[in-house]
Amino acid sequence: MKTFAIALLLILSPLFIFAQGGLKVGDSAPSFSATDQNGKLIRSEDVLAKGDMVLVFYRGTWCPHCRRHISNLQKDLLQITEKGANVVVVTPEQPEFIEKMVKKSGATFSILHDASYKIMLDYKVAFKLGREIVPASFKQMQKNARKHNGNLEDMLPVPATYIISRDGNIRYIHYNPDFTERASVEEIGAQLVNL
């Protein structure tokens, strides 16, 4: 098991270096605006005016870990909203695929289409998919990314979670290049209590 963990770290280390760019707990969160699945313009300032924000990045509906994570967020959403926080999700997927995620997960929170990768880049989670990062599944991931993102840029986000307090500062970061590892609703809820 230890050998597997070391091998995984070596495989994913280029991804970690590329995407982990320096956002830290205590930093000011970059502001953003984008359109959600309902065609509504969502601005981070407006969300923060209502309470703390849980900002989640996912790769695509094609990713079973992403579908499970978004479904779990929806299933246990009350654990977040009862603490005065709002969930906003960001993906590079085109709106037609976001709609599929909404149908599969039942998501009632905003899922934003990051068409130009600006939010992903500002939050230091964007990486360019490469054969050295995921050698065994590169071709399939590339095919999925190109189809769902609608371009040939092969950009994906590390599936990260940020908790941003009303004052616009980052209070919690879950960032792991291992795409199977996600912040649980329980962990997010516990962090919100600590705010």
Side-chain angles (χ1 to χ4, degrees):
M1 187 63 162
K2 186 176 179 182
T3 305
F4 173 76
I6 292 170
L8 183 64
L9 181 62
L10 290 173
I11 290 168
L12 295 176
S13 60
L15 163 66
F16 184 79
I17 291 167
F18 180 83
Q20 182 75 345
L23 288 186
K24 296 176 183 63
V25 171
D27 286 351
S28 291
S31 61
F32 61 84
S33 65
T35 304
D36 73 3
Q37 71 270 26
N38 302 310
K40 182 179 178 185
L41 181 66
I42 303 298
R43 295 172 4 109
S44 56
E45 294 87 359
D46 297 338
V47 176
L48 291 172
K50 299 174 190 169
D52 301 324
M53 177 169 48
V54 177
L55 180 63
V56 176
F57 292 86
Y58 81 84
R59 303 182 310 160
T61 306
W62 53 268
C63 167
H65 302 285
C66 296
R67 290 193 307 270
R68 189 176 313 111
H69 191 221
I70 300 303
S71 294
N72 288 341
L73 281 171
Q74 178 59 42
K75 183 175 63 105
D76 296 323
L77 188 60
L78 192 59
Q79 290 186 42
I80 295 172
T81 57
E82 70 183 0
K83 294 174 180 70
N86 297 287
V87 173
V88 176
V89 177
V90 175
T91 181
E93 286 198 295
Q94 297 179 91
E96 67 184 280
F97 296 106
I98 292 174
E99 195 55 46
K100 289 181 180 180
M101 178 63 89
V102 169
K103 287 179 182 168
K104 287 176 185 287
S105 66
T108 58
F109 40 78
S110 289
I111 301 180
L112 310 182
H113 175 215
D114 191 9
S116 63
Y117 311 115
K118 179 171 179 6
I119 304 171
M120 290 167 36
L121 290 166
D122 285 350
Y123 278 81
K124 315 295 186 194
V125 299
F127 72 95
K128 186 166 179 65
L129 187 61
R131 191 177 304 278
E132 70 284 354
I133 296 170
V134 283
S137 57
F138 170 71
K139 283 289 190 193
Q140 186 60 49
M141 286 183 70
Q142 182 183 56
K143 180 180 173 184
N144 290 335
R146 289 180 174 188
K147 177 181 176 183
H148 285 244
N149 297 0
N151 59 50
L152 304 178
E153 295 174 356
D154 299 337
M155 292 288 282
L156 292 174
V158 171
T161 300
Y162 292 82
I163 296 178
I164 303 161
S165 58
R166 287 175 184 246
D167 63 7
N169 290 321
I170 297 170
R171 300 300 183 193
Y172 167 82
I173 300 172
H174 182 276
Y175 179 102
N176 191 332
D178 179 353
F179 59 85
T180 65
E181 294 294 322
R182 312 291 171 104
S184 69
V185 176
E186 293 76 19
E187 184 178 352
I188 293 168
Q191 293 296 326
L192 288 167
V193 167
N194 293 332
L195 290 184

